[in-house]
Amino acid sequence: MDRETTQYTPETDDANEVIDRKLRQHFDGKIVRKDLTKAIKEGANVPVYVLEFLLGQYCSSDDPQIIENGVANVKRILSENFVRPDESQKVLSSLRERGSYTVIDRITVSLNIKLDRYESDFSNLGIRGIPISSDYVSKYDRLLCGGIWCIVGLEYEYIEEDKKSTPISIVKLTPIQMPHIDMDEIKEGRKAFTKDEWITILLRSAGMEADCFSKREKWLQLARMLPLIENNFNLCELGPRSTGKSHLYKEISPNSILVSGGQTTVANLFYNMSSKQVGLVGLWDCVAFDEVAGITFKDKDGVQIMKDYMASGSFARGKEEKAAYASMAFVGNINQSVDVLLKTSHLFEPFPEAMAYDTAFLDRMHCYIPGWEISKYRPESFTNDYGFITDYLAEFMRQMRKEPFGDACDKYFRFGSNLNQRDVIAVRKIVSGFTKLLYPNGEFTKEEVEEILTFALEMRRRVKEQLKKIGGMEFYDVNFSYVDNESFEERYVSVPEQGGGKIIPEGLTNPGNVYTISQGKTGMIGVYRLETQMLPGNGRFERTGLGSDRDAREATNTAFNYLKASGNAISRSISTTLKDYIVNYQDLNGIGMTKYLTLPTVIALASCALNKPTLSSLVVLGEISISGTILKVEELASVLQVCLDSGAKKVLIPITSAPELGTVPSDLIGAFSLIFYSTPQEAVYKALGVE
């Protein structure tokens, strides 16, 4: 997709002015200039959403003078009233000496049933059980749901006679987060903007400058918001460093928590059985894991409980089953290029081993964002324009979690036959999330739904493609499609990275070069390349690349001994006494060497001795014993699937495997020219294209 220019033209200037004007008209007091946020954020360690709320109150204007005075006000308020945890005792002392003091702190309210009163806890100030009027609670219900940041006027009066009560009382409380949000206002305001304008606003609200990104990059960045707007949504994003993978979950939303460092416990994440408290999944809308490579559970059953939760949104601990709504986001770095990763392994490889090869865990991923497609952030990637106050955006997304939009596509489209139940659930969740983000008022056209559906199918297919690599034929059905309800036309959706970079090249290879596909040491099916050299000598046979693998060495010895015994039957030109042979074995997928190397080695040695290359794009399957008995191919369907993914066009296959072709899907068989052989000699002739 063509990258949109980052340079401002008069048109983009006008477009930005139009957006700013509409924002001031429909969302006055809910917007803020993001350059002001950046300027103050660098000097004040307060959450972005607190800072922006204050800026929205004091700097919502075009007048430079008003903005300047507003910024000065915000800075003064923060320096005088913001409570740093290490200065809490100093603030309490000032409160006692002065008799009154105004603080900025996070307030959480709970109902004390024994005393029949509401009590507040101050996060940074470190004081608990301060009585608070029920008027504030009914007015700002978010105080009861995890707490909000407020400017609080406190008074201090110690009464000698009443030693049990606290001397601190709340005189005035003003929220500096959105205490509640009018959803009708947003839905009505959305009508004033086009789809592209709304996308620009959403990205600017998260601090990004939309004009610096291509259309594709904008959609990928919006996808990061899905765990915040959709309940129990599992997302994975792996990519290069500094592309902002964890930025959204850490800075933008007060409803998400970023678990850094990786190590966690079941008690912390799900449920603490001794204290009877629900963990992070019950307290936050989204739990994001930074640097997935380091995720470890101190408990052995950690991954199992996580799998249960990711599939059903509930988990069992002790005698109880608990439900929670938190989404899970897994972000991390890919250390090599995607092409290399796809050729040698799979896209989930950066995960720890307990997860990376667990197909049941990976199948629960609803969406895989290709982080390598998002360009690295530069200073110009961050906006200086107007956007929503981050808290307003976060609260909008939080409220939208309650509304299901998963059936948005049913009116116009239905899913193709290759999607199983898990795939359908995943795609519906992505469609639902995107529809809520882009069309919260529920007004959209068929073309707009199709755009979302295509994107959703691609994000899920990326997960399925990797599962196919790891789990073989169980996950064969990856050709995702959707059918138009009117025209009954079926359209297929592909993933961009699957296209190129085939392991097996087209065209003729050098004599002695052979490709084979079989099970490696780990039990996974991989591609192996043999490269052979022939030198004048006295019949020595050297092998490189096998290391200390005894089974592989024995298989190659069997091949050379077979040639010694039967080489003349193939061709009198093959000499095992006057020539030396060196064969290099390469494990192209990095899954451990295979032991099925006898027949490929025989063909490689014969090809080199006769100076004749094998057929183009050929893969050799099957194995022989020392007496020349043909052995059939194990897991034929899975092996043929890997042949297809690796770029093979012709497959040399033993006749003993012919009965098993009935277990292979017909479109897979149709993808190759199958060449059958019944003896080792025939295998050599047909591999070299000799009649």
Side-chain angles (χ1 to χ4, degrees):
M1 204 170 283
D2 293 335
R3 289 185 57 82
E4 291 168 11
T5 179
T6 58
Q7 291 175 350
Y8 290 109
T9 60
E11 290 86 30
T12 59
D13 270 339
D14 290 345
N16 289 334
E17 277 176 26
V18 169
I19 292 174
D20 292 350
R21 191 179 69 249
K22 286 183 187 176
L23 275 173
R24 282 195 297 276
Q25 186 182 335
H26 296 278
F27 296 102
D28 194 35
K30 316 282 189 320
I31 55 171
V32 66
R33 252 181 48 197
K34 298 290 174 174
D35 57 332
L36 303 179
T37 308
K38 282 191 288 189
I40 304 180
K41 176 70 180 140
E42 283 155 14
N45 195 14
V46 305
V48 170
Y49 40 90
V50 170
L51 182 58
E52 289 197 350
F53 186 88
L54 292 171
L55 288 168
Q57 298 293 307
Y58 290 99
C59 308
S60 186
S61 169
D62 286 338
D63 188 334
Q65 189 59 46
I66 294 175
I67 288 175
E68 195 180 320
N69 295 343
V71 169
N73 263 335
V74 171
K75 284 182 174 174
R76 181 180 55 73
I77 290 167
L78 288 173
S79 65
E80 289 179 10
N81 305 117
F82 182 74
V83 180
R84 287 176 43 174
D86 57 338
E87 292 183 352
S88 60
Q89 289 303 314
K90 183 181 164 186
V91 171
L92 288 172
S93 169
S94 301
L95 171 61
R96 180 179 178 270
E97 299 308 321
R98 294 184 194 175
S100 64
Y101 199 87
T102 304
V103 297
I104 294 178
D105 204 345
R106 188 180 179 96
I107 314 293
T108 312
V109 174
S110 55
L111 176 63
N112 186 330
I113 296 171
K114 287 182 181 174
L115 297 174
D116 186 31
R117 68 177 189 187
Y118 291 104
E119 294 178 348
S120 57
D121 298 348
F122 288 68
S123 173
N124 285 359
L125 200 55
I127 54 176
R128 304 171 70 92
I130 308 299
I132 182 170
S133 165
S134 57
D135 295 346
Y136 291 125
V137 177
S138 54
K139 205 170 170 185
Y140 313 126
D141 51 2
R142 274 184 75 186
L143 287 164
L144 296 162
C145 313
I148 50 175
W149 286 82
C150 304
I151 299 180
V152 190
L154 298 175
E155 278 190 356
Y156 191 97
E157 188 180 357
Y158 183 71
I159 301 165
E160 188 74 38
E161 292 79 37
D162 190 6
K163 290 187 177 180
K164 285 185 179 177
S165 69
T166 173
I168 299 171
S169 59
I170 295 172
V171 183
K172 189 182 178 191
L173 180 143
T174 313
I176 48 175
Q177 278 181 254
M178 293 287 157
H180 52 262
I181 183 168
D182 184 354
M183 291 304 291
D184 293 334
E185 179 188 38
I186 285 195
K187 290 175 181 180
E188 198 57 40
R190 166 67 182 90
K191 293 176 182 175
F193 301 89
T194 65
K195 180 192 74 180
D196 290 335
E197 286 175 345
W198 190 250
I199 289 175
T200 299
I201 293 166
L202 287 174
L203 289 176
R204 284 181 182 167
S205 303
M208 304 292 108
E209 180 45 69
D211 293 343
C212 289
F213 301 106
S214 67
K215 183 182 173 186
R216 172 86 171 163
E217 284 176 326
K218 288 177 191 176
W219 275 75
L220 293 174
Q221 295 204 57
L222 286 178
R224 291 172 175 170
M225 297 180 184
L226 292 173
L228 297 168
I229 204 166
E230 197 63 32
N231 287 327
N232 300 108
F233 186 83
N234 309 317
L235 172 135
C236 163
E237 180 180 0
L238 302 177
R241 290 157 183 79
S242 72
T243 52
K245 294 186 291 293
S246 56
H247 168 76
L248 187 77
Y249 310 114
K250 190 160 177 74
E251 292 288 342
I252 304 303
S253 176
N255 307 321
S256 68
I257 186 166
L258 189 70
V259 180
S260 319
Q263 194 171 48
T264 185
T265 60
V266 171
N268 177 44
L269 199 56
F270 296 105
Y271 189 71
N272 189 325
M273 289 178 61
S274 55
S275 68
K276 298 280 190 289
Q277 282 186 317
V278 176
L280 297 177
V281 295
L283 302 173
W284 299 89
D285 286 353
C286 172
V287 179
F289 294 89
D290 202 7
E291 305 303 332
V292 289
I295 297 176
T296 51
F297 277 97
K298 288 181 181 174
D299 323 71
K300 285 184 180 169
D301 58 348
V303 175
Q304 294 304 320
I305 293 174
M306 190 181 257
K307 280 195 303 204
D308 179 20
Y309 175 73
M310 285 166 73
S312 63
S314 60
F315 51 91
R317 292 290 283 158
K319 294 177 183 175
E320 303 179 77
E321 188 171 43
K322 296 279 182 188
Y325 298 98
S327 298
M328 291 210 162
F330 300 86
V331 297
N333 298 321
I334 286 180
N335 295 319
Q336 61 237 80
S337 80
V338 176
D339 291 347
V340 170
L341 205 59
L342 282 169
K343 281 183 186 176
T344 60
S345 179
H346 57 89
L347 293 176
F348 284 112
E349 202 195 25
F351 275 80
E353 200 158 326
M355 298 174 174
Y357 290 94
D358 186 339
T359 51
F361 170 79
L362 299 175
D363 197 18
R364 287 159 165 78
M365 286 291 175
H366 296 131
C367 172
Y368 189 135
I369 300 175
W372 53 89
E373 290 188 36
I374 299 173
S375 39
K376 290 199 174 197
Y377 284 175
R378 292 183 166 75
E380 60 268 22
S381 307
F382 298 93
T383 189
N384 292 327
D385 247 307
Y386 280 99
F388 290 133
I389 297 166
T390 44
D391 194 51
Y392 187 72
L393 175 73
E395 194 54 22
F396 152 67
M397 290 197 284
R398 186 172 204 180
Q399 291 298 327
M400 287 302 290
R401 288 171 80 93
K402 299 170 186 172
E403 298 187 27
F405 272 59
D407 57 353
C409 54
D410 290 354
K411 185 179 170 186
Y412 305 109
F413 306 102
R414 55 188 169 85
F415 298 112
S417 58
N418 266 9
L419 280 84
N420 63 30
Q421 184 58 20
R422 260 203 187 132
D423 301 327
V424 170
I425 290 170
V427 171
R428 283 195 185 281
K429 277 185 176 284
I430 302 172
V431 168
S432 171
F434 261 103
T435 311
K436 289 181 210 177
L437 271 174
L438 300 181
Y439 314 105
N441 50 359
E443 294 175 12
F444 41 79
T445 63
K446 181 179 175 181
E447 287 70 31
E448 288 167 340
V449 173
E450 187 170 15
E451 186 178 30
I452 292 173
L453 182 59
T454 310
F455 186 82
L457 285 164
E458 183 210 315
M459 294 296 125
R460 172 62 187 173
R461 179 168 175 177
R462 187 168 288 106
V463 174
K464 205 73 182 287
E465 287 281 1
Q466 306 319 306
L467 285 169
K468 187 176 77 176
K469 281 195 163 187
I470 304 164
M473 283 315 291
E474 186 188 346
F475 301 99
Y476 166 70
D477 45 354
V478 295
N479 290 316
F480 285 6
S481 62
Y482 60 96
V483 180
D484 191 315
N485 286 341
E486 289 174 6
S487 65
F488 298 106
E489 184 188 349
E490 189 168 12
R491 301 185 187 107
Y492 288 86
V493 176
S494 60
V495 283
E497 66 272 7
Q498 286 298 119
K502 299 293 188 189
I503 297 177
I504 299 165
E506 289 188 25
L508 291 173
T509 56
N510 294 329
N513 283 15
V514 170
Y515 289 89
T516 183
I517 291 176
S518 53
Q519 277 185 331
K521 248 268 192 293
T522 57
M524 286 179 66
I525 296 166
V527 185
Y528 302 90
R529 180 165 64 206
L530 286 67
E531 292 183 352
T532 315
Q533 281 185 309
M534 182 174 71
L535 305 162
N538 51 10
R540 283 176 59 221
F541 177 46
E542 281 187 37
R543 293 139 304 175
T544 58
L546 294 179
S548 58
D549 193 320
R550 206 171 102 221
D551 291 341
R553 284 188 169 275
E554 280 183 11
T556 55
N557 282 337
T558 303
F560 198 63
N561 292 335
Y562 176 82
L563 268 187
K564 279 181 182 174
S566 310
N568 282 345
I570 298 170
S571 171
R572 293 189 180 279
S573 308
I574 299 174
S575 171
T576 52
T577 52
L578 301 172
K579 302 284 183 187
D580 288 349
Y581 297 91
I582 305 166
V583 184
N584 175 244
Y585 297 86
Q586 297 168 26
D587 169 11
L588 296 180
N589 294 115
I591 59 169
M593 192 45 72
T594 180
K595 61 183 180 184
Y596 304 107
L597 290 172
T598 308
L599 182 68
T601 306
V602 168
I603 293 172
L605 291 168
S607 166
C608 190
L610 300 170
N611 196 28
K612 198 165 176 57
T614 60
L615 297 169
S616 64
S617 307
L618 177 77
V619 164
V620 173
L621 302 183
E623 187 61 322
I624 57 171
S625 66
I626 191 159
S627 60
T629 308
I630 303 289
L631 308 175
K632 68 174 188 176
V633 181
E634 301 286 331
E635 294 187 52
L636 182 63
S638 299
V639 169
L640 285 175
Q641 184 61 54
V642 176
C643 290
L644 182 66
D645 295 341
S646 307
K649 301 281 177 41
K650 302 181 185 79
V651 177
L652 192 69
I653 189 167
I655 197 73
T656 49
S657 290
E660 285 187 34
L661 286 172
T663 64
V664 181
S666 53
D667 55 340
L668 189 54
I669 297 174
F672 312 105
S673 297
L674 297 179
I675 306 166
F676 290 98
Y677 63 89
S678 51
T679 64
Q681 289 99 314
E682 192 183 357
V684 173
Y685 292 152
K686 287 188 171 178
L688 303 181
V690 178
E691 294 299 324

